[in-house]
Amino acid sequence: MNDTYGIYAEKWKGKEGPFAILRFFLSEMRRFDPFLVVCFFALPVPGTLGAYLASRLPAWIVDTLAGAGSMKELFLGILLRGLVLLVCEVCADLMRDYIGEDRDFLRDYLTGRFIAHAARMDASQIDREEIREAYASSYASAQNSRGFYEGTGVMRIFTDLLVCLVFSVAIGRVSLLLLAIIVVSVGVNIGLLKAARGVHRKYHGTISAYAKGCAYLTDLTMDPVAGKDIRIYRMADLILKRFDENLKAMEACYSRIHWWYFGRNMTSAVFTLARDAVAYLYLISLLGKGSLSPATFVFLFSGISTLSFHLEYVLRRAMDWNTLEGSAAYFQRFLAVESTWRREEKLTEEEIAEMIQKGVSLTLRYVTFTYPGSEESVISHLTMTVSAGEKLALIGLNGTGKTTLVKLICALLIPDSGEILLCGHPREDFTREQYRRLLCVMFQDSDFLPVTLDENLTGQAEAMEGENAEALTRALSLAGALEVYERLPQKGKTRLGRGVYPDSVEVSGGEKQKLLFARTLYRNAPVTILDEPTSALDPLAEYAMYTNFREAVGGKTVIFISHRLASTRFCDRILLMEKGSIVEEGTHETLLESGGRYAELYEMQSRYYRERAEAERKRSYMEG
Amino acid sequence: MSRKELGAYVRLTGILLGRMPAMVIACVLEGLLSGVTPMVYVFLTSAVLDGVSRGESAESLIGRALVGILVMFLIHALYGVSERMVNRRLEYILEQQNRPVSEKSMQLLFETLDNPDIRRERDAITGRFSRFGVLGMVLDGIIHLCANLIVIVSACVLVVPPLRGAAALAVGFPGSYACTFLFLLLILLICIANTHFVHREYRTMSEKYDADIAPLDTVRKYYLRLFATTDTQKDIRVNGLEKTVEREVKRNREAFGRLRKWFLSRNLRRGTCFQGIANLAMILAYLFSAWYGFMGLITLGSVVRFIESVRHVSECMFRLGDSLSQIGYSGMYAIKLLDFMELDLPREGTIPVEKRQDDRFSVSFEHVYFRYPGREDWALEDVTVQFEIGERMALVGRNGSGKTTFIKLLCGLYEVTSGVIRVNGIDIRKYDPKEYMALFGVVFQDFCLPDFRLGEIVSCEEGWEEERLRDAVSRAGLTARMESLHRGADTPIGKGFYGEGENLSGGERQKLAMARAVYRNAAFVILDEPTAALDPEAECQVFSGFDRMVGRKTALYISHRLASCRFCEDILVFDRGRLVQRGSHEELSGKNGLYREMWTAQARYYESSQEFSDKARTMP
């Protein structure tokens, strides 16, 4: 693997472990909303105070009544304590709400963070082994705030920890044995929960596969594209059978899992029974002996369940730490990845301008590429040169690697070996912007973004004026897309994109292809690659495009990829690709003469047209 | 919560009771038990305290305690049982709900399916908003409602005895039933009012939140999905559109931020009011019970009991309000679910299609007009044509001229807006829809292959006939590929359902779709742009195999590749929704017209002259 580029930035190296993760998590939360972090740390105060006062107050009332104080004392005392309790409860509640309502917004924050960084990275890094997992996990976090949402839950531990502390002290002061029993019973409970969850996790992979299958079918049955075939081919029975199979399998899995949970519940019930029995007996005996006032009895009694409850809560939330740790660690790693494009310019503006003026050549030398995880190389030792201003046709059957080749040329993939040069310069000599200025690609399956048409075509959000507007009109008319543009109700201001905004307009396949070609022409890059640009066009539109082709592309260096061998007629040179390398090369005539593969393919496609033309000629001859 | 919502909720509960009675009963049980649990502690404490104040011996106290603990244990155990019964089905209740919803979706008329409003409603049902879907919400609501009801009942029970005792001692107003009753009423009213306003506010907030966040989330998901793989983002990268993406994402984020601010501030306001008033009610309770205790009207133990029960009443008022609110919210979704399941009464049409051995049917379109729902322009305008089965026909025309629409109408996916389509002289609307559609083996331009096993994709049933499959696959030219798959016809294709299928290229998928059409052995074979994704070699295979593939059946062939019209005796030419020409290739290429124009445009480039090449290459 090519390792000339540094992968991880210094700030991530060496920073591992729970504290670093916690710091990272808190810093992300602070970026999201600083008040949230304040709540994390401030919540314990009113939270604990409130819990403590709430349990103490009844006891205090009982005590005062027993001690025969005056009614005024009683009332004032209640009012005072009650009001403090009110303030505490209100504050605690508000803060808890503030922390708890954020799943959707966290997702949005993480999405923004993810996209901002992913856009800065370069796409070729995504499939690299070291980065792939981090990328996928960060993507998942952005999708559903996985890990980070659990993290906010984990932060709420602090309150409960404090409550536990307070009550442990209070109970421990009366009886350490009691405290020990409570801790043990909670510990057992949590241990059992962990075991049950472990079982759940073991089945998680299988279950989510079934769930995904059901979700797939659910979406399929409502998809209008699938709907035609489903109705005509009567696929309903098959689909429902598969659905039912999955449901049955899920039933079996969950049944097994829940036996575990049931066992856990039963065992915990027994332990609670034992705990309560011992606690009560002990407290009652103390009460009987008179070493405990009724008020303290009440307090301790409720204190036992409060402590158990909060302790269990703390331990449960602590189990979520693992989820947080995993996701946060990956996210941190993701954010540390830096783009492999060079930052400072090596080639000056003048040099670039000169290159553009003189025309840019493209050279590939012994380029080899294998997809990670695959055994066969898709591209092997491919060598080709396109000189400046040349129009090259690239032909090949499906699966020979043409799309991969295009991706290698535009630096979406990095070759395993060999080099790709623009005007003799390798990719490393260019900054990202410079490379883009020089190279533009029209993919077969491109789609428009849900922004205005003008912005889709030009990349500018501001209104088109002056030179730019002229350039756009020119590009549109050369691409044969001017009519489409004018026909739209709001022309350039029409918003495109399917189903994202309510006012989006959908354009047909042919219209889209013409507009995409216009976009490519507008970009005016000296090297342009067109991948099946006429696949959705009808014969007349296709013909128009071929006729205008040379005028449209002017002096650019062009690679034209197509199945329609008609396109080779207006290209200077033809390359035929097979199994990842170039096997034939020449002009249309020389290739036909040599009678190789190209000739074979051309014959296949043209046969019928020529047969018919000949039959017609014969007929008109016969008819005189 | 409106009456309609409550009605829908009750109806749905009734349906559930019919379909899965054990589950509903277990939910009720779980609710009751979980509600009773905290109350038992309260009973226990106050029983012990009462005993103490009565000066009972330690043994009797312990005895009482033990009874209480055993009751707790039993409740705990029973709760475990009912929880298991509920949870193991609840975990996948969403999928269980989606099964009948999916079944219904497949029964809908195609044009209903195509309606984005209906799709949106269905999306709301199938679980975008909650892991448990509508049914889960309903069951959850039942559990909580039962729990809360029991808490209220037991709280009331707790409150009465000490007060009754108090009344016996009372002299004058303060200790009488009336006073206590009035006080309780006061607290109850405060709690109810508090709960009611809070929940109404929450409901309004939730509705606005749901409505506002859905479009924002759609945009968010769209942009996120652009970065899923190298492939999805290639367009952005190569065209330098990152700035645009970032700008749009930022704008969306700002909208999210505004929504959040609004939501949090409303929430804060609501929370403060609620907690404040709830606590004030508690203070009143403390004061009242202290007063009674001070006057000796109730025992000390009862003081605690009284306070605890007021607290519980207040809490369960809130929870009751919560339950009702939840029922209202679930009711809203229940309405959606029930409405969806009751869409579209089945079409009439019961005549069976006549079975003919010679596969000769006659089809006629008589002054057919059609426009898509919601559109004003005609997709087909005054189309009249007649043809016999057993013919080969090509449909040609520019993009958007109505060719695919013609096919869709013929297959019965849409109904004509006006005019009639007849097969064998009978209006196709009168035929039994299932039998009628069985006449067609279609490969649409945007065909869909479900991610099942290869054999099933072709046969569209569970299992397949070996011979028939092999024949269909070979006619489509896919035999070699099928044998290269690691399990042959048993191999899953695509990762959507089985999670570990093999991927086929675009061309191979097209061949598979054709194999499916062949396997069907239907009277009509319709191919819409079947070679669009195929390279020259594969395209040639399809053309040469076409005869084999189609046999004696009627074939309708749509293609831009006019060479494909070779095997078609009859060509229909469409232009902007109208049928403008009909004839054989010889006839049409002899006349001036759209066909000749298109033919010439395509055939030119296959001319074999050198001059032509030179001219093509030096065009300005």
Side-chain angles (χ1 to χ4, degrees), chain A residues 33 57 62 69 71 78 82 89 93 98 102 104-105 107-108 111 118-119 121 126-127 135 139 142-143 216-218 221-222 224-226 228-229 231-235 241-244 251 254-255 258-259 262 265-266 273 276-277 280-281 287 298 397-398 407 412 432 436 441 443 445-446 448 450-451 455 461 519 523 536-539 543 546 550-551 563-564 566 569 571 589 597 602 604-606 608-609 612 616, chain B residues 41 44 49 52 62 69 77 80 83-84 87-89 91-92 95 99 105-106 108 110 114 119 122 209 213 217 220 222 224-225 227 230-231 233-235 237-240 242 244 247-248 253 256 260 264 275 279 283 286 290 294 304 398-399 438 442 444 446-448 450-451 453 456 462 497-498 516-517 520 533-535 537 540 560-561 563 566 585-586 601-602 604-607 609-610 612-613 617 619-620:
Chain A
D33 184 354
L57 190 45
V62 168
M71 187 147 112
I78 290 177
E89 294 270 285
D93 204 47
Y98 199 83
D102 272 321
D104 292 329
F105 300 104
R107 257 196 325 213
D108 168 63
T111 304
M121 269 171 66
I126 296 175
D127 293 315
Y135 192 89
Y139 184 83
Q143 255 183 331
Y216 169 78
L217 292 179
T218 309
T221 52
M222 203 62 185
V225 172
K228 307 194 291 289
D229 289 326
R231 279 154 184 74
I232 292 188
Y233 287 99
R234 286 197 273 183
M235 293 201 253
K241 273 214 187 82
R242 292 280 160 264
F243 209 113
D244 288 333
E251 151 108 41
Y254 277 123
S255 182
H258 278 278
W259 275 124
F262 178 67
N265 274 338
M266 286 297 113
L273 170 70
D276 284 345
Y280 275 94
L281 295 179
L287 193 62
V298 169
L397 299 185
N398 276 340
K407 286 188 187 166
L412 288 169
R432 194 163 76 164
R436 290 222 191 113
V441 179
F443 288 105
D445 50 359
S446 298
F448 286 120
V451 294
E455 194 171 349
R519 175 170 80 177
R523 291 248 303 139
L537 301 182
D538 60 57
Y543 176 73
Y546 290 164
R550 288 199 92 100
E551 186 192 347
H563 280 152
R564 318 271 176 91
R569 303 306 293 276
C571 290
E589 288 71 30
R597 189 85 172 108
Y602 184 79
M604 272 190 236
Q605 258 197 1
S606 66
Y608 181 57
Y609 292 99
R612 282 277 161 140
E616 266 168 55
Chain B
Y41 268 118
L44 199 47
L49 277 180
V52 163
I62 288 177
I69 293 174
E83 197 194 42
R84 180 194 135 81
N87 279 357
R88 80 182 165 99
R89 291 251 163 70
E91 292 245 43
Y92 68 110
E95 284 78 17
R99 199 264 190 215
S105 308
M106 292 195 283
L108 293 175
F110 185 71
D114 220 3
R119 283 217 300 280
R122 201 193 93 133
Y209 180 85
I213 210 172
D217 215 41
R220 178 194 72 92
Y222 175 86
L224 183 61
R225 241 177 275 146
F227 287 90
T230 322
D231 208 51
Q233 51 185 285
K234 63 182 191 279
D235 207 36
R237 299 298 189 170
V238 154
N239 286 288
E242 291 104 337
T244 309
R247 183 176 359 106
E248 287 297 302
R253 286 223 58 217
F256 257 108
R260 179 168 188 254
L264 284 176
Q275 274 294 345
N279 273 287
I283 292 179
Y286 289 136
F294 189 80
V304 171
R398 309 201 60 182
N399 280 336
V442 192
F444 285 104
D446 51 353
F447 62 86
C448 169
D451 290 352
R453 288 188 274 262
E456 287 173 341
E462 192 164 27
F497 184 73
Y498 286 105
R516 178 171 65 181
R520 194 134 210 247
L534 303 185
D535 58 50
E537 202 172 61
C540 190
H560 280 151
R561 311 285 295 143
R566 75 201 286 181
H585 169 80
E586 285 74 25
Q602 249 190 15
R604 291 200 60 161
Y605 283 97
Y606 292 98
E607 274 179 43
S609 68
Q610 173 78 38
F612 177 79
S613 293
R617 267 180 256 139
M619 272 193 248

Side-chain angles (χ1 to χ4, degrees), chain A residues 21-22 25 103 145-157 190 193-194 197 201 261 312-329:
Chain A
I21 299 289
L22 191 59
F25 174 72
R103 185 154 217 153
S145 58
R146 190 181 78 180
F148 286 80
Y149 184 68
E150 285 78 357
T152 59
V154 170
M155 289 295 117
R156 282 154 85 164
I157 288 184
I190 293 294
L193 183 64
K194 222 173 166 184
R197 278 203 189 173
R201 229 189 326 248
Y261 278 117
E312 190 162 325
Y313 184 78
V314 168
L315 291 174
R316 240 187 235 245
R317 285 275 159 265
M319 288 203 289
D320 281 339
W321 170 260
N322 285 333
T323 322
L324 165 64
E325 189 175 19
S327 300

Side-chain angles (χ1 to χ4, degrees), chain A residues 105, chain B residues 208 216 250-265:
Chain A
F105 300 104
Chain B
K208 176 161 160 41
L216 295 180
K250 186 153 169 262
R251 218 164 50 107
N252 203 43
R253 286 223 58 217
E254 281 163 11
F256 257 108
R258 283 193 295 269
L259 183 63
R260 179 168 188 254
K261 256 212 191 99
W262 168 83
F263 184 73
L264 284 176
S265 69

